[in-house]
Amino acid sequence: MNQRRWFAVAVAVGLCLFSVVISFKSPEVEEKTGADSLNSLLYGSDKLVPTTIEEGDSNKKIVRLSVEGAIIDSNPTSFWSQETYNHQKFLQQIETIKDDTTVQGVLLEVNSPGGGVYESAEIAKEIKSLKKERDIPIYVSMKNLAASGGYYISAAADKIYATEETTTGSIGVIMSGTNYSGLMEKLGIKDATYKSGDLKDMGSGQRPVTDKDKEVFQSYIDSAYARFVKIVSDGRKMPEDKVKKIADGRIYDGKQAKENGLVDEIGYPEDALEALRKEQHLKGAEYVEFNTDVSGFANTLFGAKLARGSEKDDFMAILENLTTKEAPKAMYYYGGE
């Protein structure tokens, strides 16, 4: 453990001792357990509160939503968690928008290579539910990367913006794994797996892949792909056969994506926001985002910097969530695993 991590542990221990002291002085804190008190001190409360980005009419708000990073349900619980995208918080933001009648528009900024099939579908479902329940316009601004699952969650928007440099597309499903049964044979290592059926251990790297394995896996992938195609077809109002012609997994830049109908306009987030204001009669609306209580130590500049690991740590955290050692996992993800 490096010096920074040891210092972080010391800070956490100090905060824990501090929480014990104040628990004797505050009736409100006395009702909490020691763990709850420490969690509150570190992270603040779970309640979402609006933070103003641009001043305006508070009775007519535009909310910024952001998906930054791999779409995986990692839901950081550790003080030194590496993930930048918090799936449960994002869903909570959508629920907050549903309940806030002053919200009249949403700008979703996407910078993601995609991620889990389930998580991507869950976001798409909630965005569709938001549009149905509140009937408010949702514009998307694709930033550096909005590929695979990043496009999946964008497809249902009323309007999609991307820059010419944006990497998008990669419409499809991938499931990767490593088979080392040949190496085991060379080393004289034998698999000792006992199973109730021939396919119970499909995906295991310890035995050769059979034709039946390939058939089942491909059927599974094709089913997920069909759902992806339908999402794009419905969202872009494009026939499925046309979607399939451009949905072979390839990537596009923003200009190419506009030419093939995946994107509406070329522009940056400020351009998408300006269009949302003008086209949806929201001039003068307050521009906000919903954040959790920022009173916790982890949300301070020092706390966030202390908790942040290296880029290598970030990469490893994503890999750990994308797949497991036991079996491959289907992903709406650009770049493989």
Side-chain angles (χ1 to χ4, degrees):
M1 186 179 293
N2 59 35
Q3 186 176 4
R4 180 173 55 184
R5 294 299 174 88
W6 275 118
F7 182 66
V9 170
V11 171
V13 171
L15 286 171
C16 185
L17 293 174
F18 177 68
S19 70
V20 172
V21 173
I22 65 172
S23 68
F24 290 103
K25 297 181 179 181
S26 171
E28 180 180 350
V29 175
E30 284 180 0
E31 296 178 1
K32 298 181 178 181
T33 66
D36 288 338
S37 298
L38 177 59
N39 191 60
S40 179
L41 286 168
L42 288 175
Y43 306 112
S45 72
D46 292 332
K47 183 179 179 181
L48 294 181
V49 294
T51 302
T52 301
I53 303 172
E54 293 182 15
E55 298 284 352
D57 183 355
S58 61
N59 292 313
K60 188 168 63 173
K61 295 186 180 77
I62 296 173
V63 174
R64 179 174 73 181
L65 290 175
S66 179
V67 173
E68 186 82 24
I71 303 171
I72 48 179
D73 192 4
S74 54
N75 191 19
T77 55
S78 167
F79 176 58
W80 15 77
S81 177
Q82 308 299 324
E83 290 79 14
T84 55
Y85 171 70
N86 186 324
H87 188 62
Q88 294 307 316
K89 179 183 175 182
F90 184 83
L91 297 179
Q92 186 183 3
Q93 288 174 319
I94 294 180
E95 288 302 316
T96 302
I97 292 172
K98 288 181 182 180
D99 296 334
D100 189 341
T101 57
T102 66
V103 176
Q104 301 297 310
V106 171
L107 177 61
L108 172 60
E109 296 183 6
V110 180
N111 188 24
S112 172
V117 167
Y118 177 83
E119 292 89 344
S120 300
E122 191 171 23
I123 291 175
K125 176 182 76 70
E126 289 304 315
I127 288 177
K128 186 179 293 186
S129 173
L130 174 60
K131 291 181 65 175
K132 181 178 180 180
E133 292 183 25
R134 289 294 319 281
D135 191 28
I136 58 177
I138 299 175
Y139 281 29
V140 164
S141 176
M142 295 178 171
K143 299 170 80 174
N144 180 55
L145 180 64
S148 202
Y151 189 83
Y152 189 105
I153 66 173
S154 304
D158 295 285
K159 200 165 190 177
I160 299 176
Y161 275 73
T163 73
E164 290 187 340
E165 295 75 24
T166 297
T167 300
T168 188
S170 188
I171 297 171
V173 194
I174 187 169
M175 179 183 286
S176 300
T178 301
N179 190 284
Y180 43 88
S181 58
L183 177 61
M184 289 175 60
E185 184 177 354
K186 287 183 178 180
L187 295 175
I189 302 172
K190 295 184 178 180
D191 179 23
T193 299
Y194 305 95
K195 52 192 178 180
S196 57
D198 290 340
L199 297 175
K200 185 60 180 173
D201 63 343
M202 61 184 295
S204 170
Q206 298 176 194
R207 67 165 176 79
V209 179
T210 68
D211 289 340
K212 188 61 177 178
D213 291 338
K214 295 177 182 178
E215 179 185 340
V216 173
F217 273 129
Q218 192 60 54
S219 175
Y220 181 86
I221 293 296
D222 290 344
S223 180
Y225 173 71
R227 294 193 294 274
F228 200 153
V229 168
K230 186 173 188 338
I231 284 288
V232 177
S233 175
D234 292 345
R236 303 304 296 169
K237 296 178 175 54
M238 186 186 299
E240 289 192 14
D241 59 344
K242 184 177 180 181
V243 174
K244 289 179 180 179
K245 290 180 180 178
I246 58 175
D248 59 359
R250 75 182 64 189
I251 57 173
Y252 303 97
D253 64 24
K255 183 175 180 292
Q256 294 171 322
K258 183 181 178 184
E259 291 172 351
N260 62 35
L262 294 176
V263 164
D264 296 297
E265 299 290 346
I266 298 298
Y268 289 84
E270 57 268 28
D271 301 312
L273 176 61
E274 182 180 355
L276 177 58
R277 290 184 184 278
K278 181 178 180 180
E279 296 168 2
Q280 302 298 331
H281 310 291
L282 291 173
K283 288 187 176 181
E286 183 180 21
Y287 188 37
V288 305
E289 61 183 356
F290 286 109
N291 291 305
T292 48
D293 178 11
V294 295
S295 61
F297 172 75
N299 293 300
T300 66
L301 178 62
F302 177 69
K305 182 65 177 176
L306 188 67
R308 188 69 180 164
S310 66
E311 291 182 4
K312 180 181 178 182
D313 291 334
D314 293 342
F315 179 69
M316 293 307 297
I318 290 174
L319 285 182
E320 287 170 3
N321 282 281
L322 290 181
T323 187
T324 67
K325 294 180 179 179
E326 289 77 22
K329 181 180 179 183
M331 306 290 295
Y332 293 142
Y333 189 72
Y334 165 60
E337 297 178 36

